[in-house]
Amino acid sequence: MTTTTTYIAFLRAINVGGRTVKMERLRALFAELGLGGVRSYIQSGNVFFTTDEADRAALTLRIEQHLEEELGYPVPVLLRTVDEVAELLAAEPFRGIEVTPDIRLVIAFLSEPLPADLAIPYTSPKGDHEVIGADAGAAYVVIHLRNGKWVTGELFGKAYAGSVTSRFLHTTKKILAAARKS
């Protein structure tokens, strides 16, 4: 018996740094792989699709290879099921932390768990972000804006060798709601 799974592909390196990809083209690239019901949400690389493919690692690699071949640069892909994202949000990882003019709440989707020796909670050397929690697939980060800006950098130090792509908490909620629509 095959099971169809709905995935959310959180893509890194889409529509940043001069690498522009129209969502129509991105959806077509996913459809070329035989994935079903392909849809996208906003311009930052969030794609929903269905598949019967059970091997998530192989599926991730297949998507990454296809995107790199077609776009000409690597695009890390972090796949999560709709249920996994719903569970993550239901756990309220930022419970009690308020968004203010200087604070943003970010979910960093991870390809690999954080290094075991990274003590959490972890505050960056410059104090611009705090990792307040993590599980195998995500880290929960409080960003302290400097002069109204998020100064991006290494969230976890040089010891982290995996891929990361981040979404604001409020955006992740909207992505989940969009993914649930048929």
Side-chain angles (χ1 to χ4, degrees):
M1 178 177 174
T2 51
T3 302
T4 300
T5 302
T6 301
Y7 280 105
I8 302 172
F10 294 96
L11 308 179
R12 183 183 164 123
I14 294 293
N15 294 334
V16 294
R19 296 175 169 173
T20 304
V21 181
K22 293 184 185 257
M23 292 301 99
E24 181 180 348
R25 172 72 173 129
L26 190 60
R27 289 189 300 270
L29 291 171
F30 274 73
E32 288 169 8
L33 293 169
L35 304 171
V38 178
R39 296 178 295 127
S40 60
Y41 179 78
I42 63 176
Q43 300 295 314
S44 60
N46 309 290
V47 179
F48 320 127
F49 64 89
T50 59
T51 182
D52 294 338
E53 193 166 332
D55 186 336
R56 186 186 313 210
L59 177 61
T60 300
L61 182 61
R62 192 163 67 93
I63 295 169
E64 287 177 338
Q65 288 174 339
H66 186 63
L67 292 176
E68 184 170 4
E69 287 170 9
E70 295 299 320
L71 299 176
Y73 58 89
V75 179
V77 175
L78 296 116
L79 295 180
R80 301 295 182 269
T81 68
V82 168
D83 289 343
E84 288 168 344
V85 175
E87 289 170 15
L88 178 154
L89 293 172
E92 297 183 46
F94 297 102
R95 187 177 312 121
I97 300 172
E98 186 178 339
V99 173
T100 69
D102 296 323
I103 292 180
R104 298 294 180 270
L105 308 178
V106 171
I107 298 173
F109 292 95
L110 310 172
S111 65
E112 305 292 329
L114 293 178
D117 62 348
L118 181 69
I120 296 181
Y122 164 79
T123 301
S124 67
K126 294 182 181 179
D128 54 351
H129 67 271
E130 301 169 70
V131 180
I132 61 166
D135 56 41
Y140 312 106
V141 184
V142 177
I143 302 296
H144 299 274
L145 301 179
R146 300 290 184 229
N147 299 318
K149 296 180 181 173
W150 176 4
V151 180
T152 57
E154 292 179 1
L155 287 176
F156 316 116
K158 296 185 187 306
Y160 185 70
S163 295
V164 179
T165 191
S166 301
R167 302 294 185 273
F168 289 116
L169 175 63
H170 67 276
T171 303
T172 306
K173 290 177 182 178
K174 290 176 183 178
I175 292 168
L176 177 62
R180 285 178 161 162
K181 291 180 182 176
S182 37

